[in-house]
Amino acid sequence: MAREQLEEAIVADGNGKEEEVGVMGIAGAGDGDEQHGGGKFSMKSFLWHGGSVWDAWFSCASNQVAQVLLTLPYSFSQLGMLSGVLLQIFYGFLGSWTAYLISVLYVEYRSRKEKEGVSFKNHVIQWFEVLDGLLGPYWKAAGLAFNCTFLLFGSVIQLIACASNIYYINDRLDKRTWTYIFGACCATTVFIPSFHNYRIWSFLGLGMTTYTAWYLAIAALINGQVEGVSHTGPTKLVLYFTGATNILYTFGGHAVTVEIMHAMWKPAKFKYIYLLATLYVFTLTLPSAAAMYWAFGDELLTHSNAFSLLPKTAWRDAAVILMLIHQFITFGFACTPLYFVWEKVIGMHDTKSLFKRALARLPIVVPIWFLAIIFPFFGPINSAVGALLVSFTVYIIPALAHILTYRTASARMNAPEKPPFFLPSWTGMFVVNVFIVVWVLVVGFGLGGWASMVNFIRQIDTFGLFAKCYQCSKPPVPAAPAPLPHH
């Protein structure tokens, strides 16, 4: 009964803000009708205001695979075909498990607060608040530090990717200039109130990445293997663990899980959504990366953006444009939790005025813009962020938090979410969580951190900070026409 009450405890108004109903799930007249299909149809609500299971699935799948789709062939060249495929599957399921743990901890936190009569009206619950409520202020500080830093660099990566991609359509401007332009464009995400309002964007975003993934796979197969292609990977430990950490980063996109859950009308239904999203993402990442590596082999080691090796066609230009739009959406996904944190710090989170909140959010965009200009290393920066930030944010901290939250018999007995049907034992969950902590700490953070930082520093040594045009190769300048003979 408690679970049903909890599932019904949240509805949302049309402005993307939370409107609370009682713990018994009884709303005021008409409160829940619009959200659950009653009332008259509204186009604004249909396009702008989502909170269903499908909305959450689209948000997870769309957010999980964006620009990283273009760097996975680069990772395959570092790992080799077999390791590339196996590590994608391994980290895909590992990421789905820790997303499940985050959802369980959110429901635990929410149910405790509901029993205490705490109001979340006009308040979006975030991961660091869940950690604070369940484990105390030190865990809150750790969650806040890792999560915010990861989301900051996640936004930086999307901005770098925008500049890297548009260059393949228009190389009259260098990548740094494109970064200035797209930084200004992405700043408009300050006007999107919350994850409720990403309904149409999530749907479109997933369609865009689906097109791009299958374009990469089909174009690589049609293009065929380049002359003298070689597949020597893995050759160096540094490259191997750099590639592995980029895959860890790929399936560690659930730093916004709590915010996506909180935007749902029935958050407790989130449990297996991330897994279902990951299974779909496999259909995009595996064929495209494998086909590109088969066609281009070791050439990818010096081409971290898959677009750079494919011939310029209308199909490629369409893929580039769709990815640009999707990166704008993903920038918003990564930035929105940062906006929430900043609003809470300066006391603007409860403000009803969308314009005032947008103005308050603008200072968050400036450091992102600046960092994207300093470190324009598309590809290597993914691995560095994966090893140093994703490893803790979405793998180690959720697993440890689950172990500590349910360490006592009374906590396990009163848990609103019991162990899943496929692992119906608290001991089994504990063993899996300990394995994740040890594996990611040693392989992801330790070896991955070493390899990705060595590779990252190598990029700085080669291209320098504030590189004007990272990995640019200008087409040869055509010979000047011969002068006309003088008469």
Side-chain angles (χ1 to χ4, degrees), residues 7-137:
E7 286 180 354
E8 296 294 344
I10 313 160
V11 295
D13 68 22
N15 299 314
K17 280 292 197 176
E18 302 306 320
E19 181 173 322
E20 187 160 281
V21 294
V23 285
M24 298 303 292
I26 302 168
D31 279 348
D33 290 347
E34 184 187 357
Q35 316 309 333
H36 297 89
K40 66 180 182 180
F41 176 81
S42 160
M43 181 58 74
K44 177 186 173 184
S45 177
F46 176 71
L47 296 175
W48 178 247
H49 180 218
S52 68
V53 169
W54 278 106
D55 288 311
W57 182 85
F58 276 114
S59 291
C60 288
S62 176
N63 184 48
Q64 192 176 130
V65 58
Q67 53 72 38
V68 79
L69 190 69
L70 307 174
T71 65
L72 285 173
Y74 167 67
S75 296
F76 267 49
S77 70
Q78 296 169 321
L79 292 162
M81 186 75 81
L82 181 62
S83 288
V85 171
L86 292 178
L87 282 172
Q88 275 206 45
I89 295 168
F90 174 70
Y91 280 123
F93 285 116
L94 213 64
S96 299
W97 175 256
T98 54
Y100 168 75
L101 297 181
I102 291 170
S103 73
V104 167
L105 292 170
Y106 171 90
V107 171
E108 177 70 40
Y109 169 77
R110 185 70 194 239
S111 64
R112 290 185 190 182
K113 292 299 179 183
E114 289 284 336
K115 288 172 186 173
E116 294 169 12
V118 175
S119 171
F120 291 107
K121 186 178 175 67
N122 291 335
H123 183 93
V124 177
I125 296 173
Q126 294 188 267
W127 176 228
F128 69 89
E129 293 168 316
V130 173
L131 291 172
D132 185 28
L134 297 177
L135 297 170

